[in-house]
PDB file of all heavy atoms in Angstrom:
ATOM      1  N   ARG A 258      -6.792   7.344  -4.046  1.00  0.00           N
ATOM      2  CA  ARG A 258      -7.690   7.480  -5.196  1.00  0.00           C
ATOM      3  C   ARG A 258      -8.412   8.829  -5.173  1.00  0.00           C
ATOM      4  O   ARG A 258      -9.131   9.170  -6.108  1.00  0.00           O
ATOM      5  CB  ARG A 258      -8.697   6.335  -5.253  1.00  0.00           C
ATOM      6  CG  ARG A 258      -9.617   6.235  -4.044  1.00  0.00           C
ATOM      7  CD  ARG A 258     -10.545   5.040  -4.133  1.00  0.00           C
ATOM      8  NE  ARG A 258     -11.505   5.211  -5.202  1.00  0.00           N
ATOM      9  CZ  ARG A 258     -12.699   5.787  -5.045  1.00  0.00           C
ATOM     10  NH1 ARG A 258     -13.054   6.297  -3.872  1.00  0.00           N
ATOM     11  NH2 ARG A 258     -13.531   5.890  -6.054  1.00  0.00           N
ATOM     12  N   THR A 259      -8.213   9.591  -4.104  1.00  0.00           N
ATOM     13  CA  THR A 259      -8.859  10.892  -3.984  1.00  0.00           C
ATOM     14  C   THR A 259      -7.955  11.868  -3.235  1.00  0.00           C
ATOM     15  O   THR A 259      -7.106  11.451  -2.449  1.00  0.00           O
ATOM     16  CB  THR A 259     -10.209  10.769  -3.228  1.00  0.00           C
ATOM     17  OG1 THR A 259     -10.800  12.061  -3.098  1.00  0.00           O
ATOM     18  CG2 THR A 259     -10.013  10.166  -1.844  1.00  0.00           C
ATOM     19  N   LYS A 260      -8.153  13.152  -3.488  1.00  0.00           N
ATOM     20  CA  LYS A 260      -7.418  14.173  -2.750  1.00  0.00           C
ATOM     21  C   LYS A 260      -8.207  14.628  -1.526  1.00  0.00           C
ATOM     22  O   LYS A 260      -7.710  15.402  -0.712  1.00  0.00           O
ATOM     23  CB  LYS A 260      -7.118  15.366  -3.670  1.00  0.00           C
ATOM     24  CG  LYS A 260      -6.172  15.011  -4.814  1.00  0.00           C
ATOM     25  CD  LYS A 260      -5.933  16.188  -5.738  1.00  0.00           C
ATOM     26  CE  LYS A 260      -5.015  15.798  -6.898  1.00  0.00           C
ATOM     27  NZ  LYS A 260      -4.777  16.910  -7.835  1.00  0.00           N
ATOM     28  N   LYS A 261      -9.440  14.139  -1.424  1.00  0.00           N
ATOM     29  CA  LYS A 261     -10.295  14.468  -0.283  1.00  0.00           C
ATOM     30  C   LYS A 261     -10.071  13.442   0.837  1.00  0.00           C
ATOM     31  O   LYS A 261      -9.298  12.496   0.693  1.00  0.00           O
ATOM     32  CB  LYS A 261     -11.765  14.411  -0.710  1.00  0.00           C
ATOM     33  CG  LYS A 261     -12.142  15.329  -1.855  1.00  0.00           C
ATOM     34  CD  LYS A 261     -13.603  15.109  -2.209  1.00  0.00           C
ATOM     35  CE  LYS A 261     -14.058  15.998  -3.347  1.00  0.00           C
ATOM     36  NZ  LYS A 261     -15.471  15.770  -3.717  1.00  0.00           N
ATOM     37  N   VAL A 262     -10.814  13.629   1.944  1.00  0.00           N
ATOM     38  CA  VAL A 262     -10.882  12.580   2.957  1.00  0.00           C
ATOM     39  C   VAL A 262     -11.477  11.352   2.274  1.00  0.00           C
ATOM     40  O   VAL A 262     -12.460  11.469   1.526  1.00  0.00           O
ATOM     41  CB  VAL A 262     -11.761  13.015   4.142  1.00  0.00           C
ATOM     42  CG1 VAL A 262     -11.839  11.915   5.186  1.00  0.00           C
ATOM     43  CG2 VAL A 262     -11.233  14.306   4.744  1.00  0.00           C
ATOM     44  N   PHE A 263     -10.913  10.187   2.494  1.00  0.00           N
ATOM     45  CA  PHE A 263     -11.259   9.008   1.684  1.00  0.00           C
ATOM     46  C   PHE A 263     -12.749   8.688   1.653  1.00  0.00           C
ATOM     47  O   PHE A 263     -13.280   8.264   0.619  1.00  0.00           O
ATOM     48  CB  PHE A 263     -10.462   7.785   2.167  1.00  0.00           C
ATOM     49  CG  PHE A 263     -10.928   7.205   3.477  1.00  0.00           C
ATOM     50  CD1 PHE A 263     -11.804   6.121   3.504  1.00  0.00           C
ATOM     51  CD2 PHE A 263     -10.487   7.715   4.688  1.00  0.00           C
ATOM     52  CE1 PHE A 263     -12.221   5.569   4.703  1.00  0.00           C
ATOM     53  CE2 PHE A 263     -10.897   7.169   5.883  1.00  0.00           C
ATOM     54  CZ  PHE A 263     -11.770   6.097   5.904  1.00  0.00           C
ATOM     55  N   TYR A 264     -13.472   8.922   2.753  1.00  0.00           N
ATOM     56  CA  TYR A 264     -14.896   8.569   2.778  1.00  0.00           C
ATOM     57  C   TYR A 264     -15.794   9.641   2.139  1.00  0.00           C
ATOM     58  O   TYR A 264     -16.998   9.436   1.986  1.00  0.00           O
ATOM     59  CB  TYR A 264     -15.373   8.265   4.206  1.00  0.00           C
ATOM     60  CG  TYR A 264     -15.164   9.376   5.205  1.00  0.00           C
ATOM     61  CD1 TYR A 264     -16.058  10.449   5.293  1.00  0.00           C
ATOM     62  CD2 TYR A 264     -14.089   9.352   6.085  1.00  0.00           C
ATOM     63  CE1 TYR A 264     -15.876  11.457   6.213  1.00  0.00           C
ATOM     64  CE2 TYR A 264     -13.896  10.368   7.013  1.00  0.00           C
ATOM     65  CZ  TYR A 264     -14.791  11.412   7.074  1.00  0.00           C
ATOM     66  OH  TYR A 264     -14.606  12.420   7.987  1.00  0.00           O
ATOM     67  N   LYS A 265     -15.199  10.770   1.752  1.00  0.00           N
ATOM     68  CA  LYS A 265     -15.974  11.814   1.083  1.00  0.00           C
ATOM     69  C   LYS A 265     -15.837  11.737  -0.439  1.00  0.00           C
ATOM     70  O   LYS A 265     -16.436  12.521  -1.162  1.00  0.00           O
ATOM     71  CB  LYS A 265     -15.536  13.198   1.578  1.00  0.00           C
ATOM     72  CG  LYS A 265     -15.938  13.488   3.014  1.00  0.00           C
ATOM     73  CD  LYS A 265     -15.598  14.915   3.407  1.00  0.00           C
ATOM     74  CE  LYS A 265     -16.064  15.212   4.823  1.00  0.00           C
ATOM     75  NZ  LYS A 265     -15.754  16.611   5.225  1.00  0.00           N
TER      76      LYS A 265
END
Side-chain angles (χ1 to χ4, degrees):
R258 61 183 292 270
T259 179
K260 295 178 182 179
K261 302 177 180 179
V262 179
F263 74 96
Y264 57 81
K265 290 185 177 181

